[in-house]
Amino acid sequence: MQTTLFSWTRRAAVLAVGAVLATAAAAQDWPQRPVRIVVPFAAGSSPDILARILNDKLGPLLGQPLVVDNKPGAGGNSGTDLVAKAAPDGQTFLLSVNAPLVYNTVLFKRLPYDPFTDLVPVSLAATTPNVCVAAPGMGVASVKDWLTALRRNPGQYNFASTGNGSIAHLGVELVKLRTQSFAVHIPYVSSAQAATAMLQGDVHFACLPPVSVMPQVQAGKLVALAVTSAERSALLPALPTLREAGLPDIQALPWFAYMAPKGTPQAVVQRMHQAIAEALKDPETQRRLQTAYFDPVGSTPQELADFMLKELRLWRPVIERAGLKPSD
């Protein structure tokens, strides 16, 4: 019996080693065809721009083209759910942002997916400081002017965001909580549409990714007030932080992360992570990212998992205190 048990144990060990080697070999052969990168927002949105910049480097690194597939809808939930339910064969990845990966788990009573169990972290790719901007018709030139106008005229002003529960939404809600002011929220499906709404006079202000608003600021069509990062951004050094303007507890930073469907082979996830890390270190890619106001980050899958849990602990109380619902 001992001999038989030993034989089966040794055979199991050999099979296990063989499976590991086979998985590693498969990862080396991956990918054999173009890889789909699902962006759960419209073309021209910040994650879309980021995906296309990184794809230009990731394609040569992986030996196959990476194709952006825009799947906007439901505040990013539609495209995120699509990836959560995709085949875990290494052919589909997600490049998404704060809300569908963390905040919507609090905002929505029911999500068709759970980002913490139905998706596998790959890498935190980049961050960007949101820029609070006002339409010229609002008549403000500084954060002090902006907050004074909101306090003195409750309900007179409205603001745009990139969707319910987005960091563009929650950042302003946090300002409203801290200053006991009020403004009406109007969500849009992308930062480009939100910026266009301000230019058309449909909304008065917003805190949006700089790639969507800085060209209009530089053209004199919008007024830049502050950045939502904790410190001044090296990408926008002339703009003060909200902290400098007297709001010390406000930091609302958009971030962008790659995820894969649950069950994607670990060796494939690791190779994709390594390719992203290499792409983010490429000087030309860094130049293009900085031109579009992205700060490259890079992380291990575990670091991204830990970061998402930290974000959940940080923003859950904000969402609950504000009493936000999907329709807000």
Side-chain angles (χ1 to χ4, degrees):
M1 177 63 70
Q2 289 180 342
T3 301
T4 302
L5 178 60
F6 175 76
S7 298
W8 276 105
T9 302
R10 182 171 61 183
R11 182 180 178 189
V14 170
L15 289 174
V17 171
V20 170
L21 293 175
T23 301
Q28 290 301 316
D29 292 337
W30 172 87
Q32 292 294 312
R33 59 185 190 275
V35 175
R36 178 172 65 155
I37 306 296
V38 174
V39 172
F41 296 94
S45 62
S46 293
D48 174 74
I49 293 170
L50 176 63
R52 294 178 191 277
I53 291 174
L54 290 178
N55 278 3
D56 288 345
K57 186 62 179 179
L58 289 173
L61 287 173
L62 294 173
Q64 288 287 343
L66 279 71
V67 180
V68 172
D69 188 4
N70 297 99
K71 297 292 184 182
N77 291 345
S78 297
T80 304
D81 182 48
L82 185 153
V83 175
K85 293 179 171 58
D89 56 5
Q91 294 306 129
T92 301
F93 287 84
L94 174 74
L95 180 56
S96 193
V97 297
N98 316 40
L101 292 181
V102 176
Y103 310 154
N104 287 358
T105 62
V106 183
L107 185 68
F108 289 79
K109 288 185 178 179
R110 295 183 185 84
L111 281 178
Y113 64 93
D114 185 335
F116 294 95
T117 59
D118 297 334
L119 294 167
V120 176
V122 179
S123 179
L124 182 64
T127 63
T128 188
N130 267 352
V131 179
C132 295
V133 294
M138 191 173 179
V140 300
S142 67
V143 173
K144 182 179 179 181
D145 293 344
W146 172 44
L147 297 180
T148 298
L150 293 182
R151 290 192 188 103
R152 289 180 177 175
N153 304 281
Q156 180 175 324
Y157 299 108
N158 54 33
F159 71 97
S161 81
T162 52
N164 290 300
S166 66
I167 195 65
H169 177 201
L170 296 184
V172 176
E173 292 293 345
L174 190 54
V175 169
K176 289 164 58 178
L177 279 174
R178 294 286 188 270
T179 61
Q180 296 184 344
S181 57
F182 180 76
V184 178
H185 175 223
I186 302 179
Y188 291 85
V189 299
S190 71
S191 54
Q193 287 193 13
T196 299
M198 274 191 293
L199 294 174
Q200 293 174 342
D202 296 330
V203 291
H204 298 101
F205 69 92
C207 295
L208 297 171
V211 68
S212 300
V213 296
M214 287 310 296
Q216 287 75 29
V217 169
Q218 292 159 357
K221 297 178 180 179
L222 294 174
V223 179
L225 304 172
V227 291
T228 61
S229 48
E231 307 294 338
R232 286 206 183 202
S233 169
L235 303 175
L236 297 159
L239 289 181
T241 65
L242 290 172
R243 174 185 295 176
E244 291 176 74
L247 296 173
D249 298 329
I250 295 180
Q251 178 182 351
L253 198 67
W255 48 265
F256 308 84
Y258 283 91
M259 308 287 286
K262 178 183 177 181
T264 300
Q266 184 58 38
V268 170
V269 170
Q270 188 62 25
R271 187 168 180 216
M272 184 65 167
H273 151 67
Q274 291 170 346
I276 294 167
E278 188 171 346
L280 290 172
K281 293 177 183 177
D282 175 66
E284 175 58 20
T285 301
Q286 288 186 348
R287 184 195 65 78
R288 294 180 63 195
L289 290 174
Q290 290 168 359
T291 299
Y293 303 101
F294 292 109
D295 280 313
V297 179
S299 75
T300 66
Q302 185 59 52
E303 287 170 342
L304 174 55
D306 294 342
F307 175 77
M308 288 170 59
L309 288 172
K310 181 180 177 181
E311 281 282 283
L312 180 61
R313 290 192 294 269
L314 176 66
W315 285 99
R316 180 191 291 275
V318 175
I319 295 170
E320 292 177 343
R321 282 200 304 269
L324 300 180
K325 301 291 187 293
S327 60
D328 286 350

